[in-house]
Structures are given as structure tokens and as C-alpha cells.
Amino acid sequence: MSKLENLNDLFLEELRDLYHAENQLLKALPEMEEAAHSADLKILFNDHRHQTATHVQRLEAIFESLEQPAKGKNCKAMKGLVAEAKQHIKEKAASPVKDASLIAAAQRVEHYEIAGYGTARTFATTLGYMDAADLLQQTLNEEGATNERLTALSQGLNVEAMVVPDFHIEK
Ligand code: FE
Ligand code: FE
């Protein structure tokens, strides 16, 4: 356990947490894409995989600017969120219900990231790391936009999920 002496130390810890969180998500998104039935949801997961790779790169750029090694710190929260998403992937469910459950898991992930990036951006601003704050804000905006896309998509899919005949349930 490292000792946190000041806000700068805490900022670095937050970055390491986000770095591990993003790397875990990067591995999970292709599975979520594969499990999705709706073409629009598959596209969304694929788009977000590309964005997530950029989020990892932005964090690496910030570590470099701070002359710190890019290393993660075990992010248990994202581990739990990914585990829940994987549970939904495995569940037997009618296709629109499956998609609704994947969206539910994905929105939890996005909200977690929004919280983490909001905090890190505010720390960066306070510490005077304006370039880092700018990069963190860019990622924050993309997480927010992804969350809104998920909401928009779920509105149509949830209506479908209300009325699924039993015989459509996958084996
Ligand atoms: Fe991200
Ligand atoms: Fe995200």
C-alpha cells in the first residue's frame, strides 16, 4: 500500500486506477459486441472499443508528461462491473432482453468511468496540469456521449424486450 502524502499522490493513484479499469474494459468490449444481437448495439460496442483504446493512450500520454511509468493499480470496481457484464453475456435470454441487460451493464461501466474521470480532471485542474486536464476532459466527454447513446438505444430495445414470445428464447 503506497502512502499518499498530497493531492499529487492521490491524482497518480486515480490515474493508475483508471488505467487498469480501461485495460479491463478493452478486453471485455469484444465479448459484449459478440453477445449483442442488435446491429446498432454491436456498432456501439465496437465504436467504444476504439475510443477505449484512445482512453488508454491518453492516460499513457499523461503518465509520460508527469514522468511516471504507465502502470495500473488493481481496480476492483471495474473487475466487478466486468464480471456482471460477463454474467449477462452467459445468461439465457430472448435477444432484446439480452441486449437490454448488456446495456444495463455497459451504463454502469460508463457511469463509473464518468465519476473517475470527473474526479481526475478536477484534480488535474487544481494541480495546474492543464494539458492532462484537457485530455481527461476529452475522455470524460466521450464516456458521457457513449452513455447517452446507450440510453437512446435502450429506449427502442426495451420496448421490444417487453413483448418477447417464449419461443424466441435462445437455447
Ligand atoms: Fe473509457
Ligand atoms: Fe467507457
Side-chain angles (χ1 to χ4, degrees), residues 22 25 48 52 55 109-110 113 143 146:
E22 292 284 17
L25 185 58
H48 201 52
T52 300
H55 301 170
V109 167
E110 293 316 307
E113 290 184 302
E143 310 292 17
T146 297

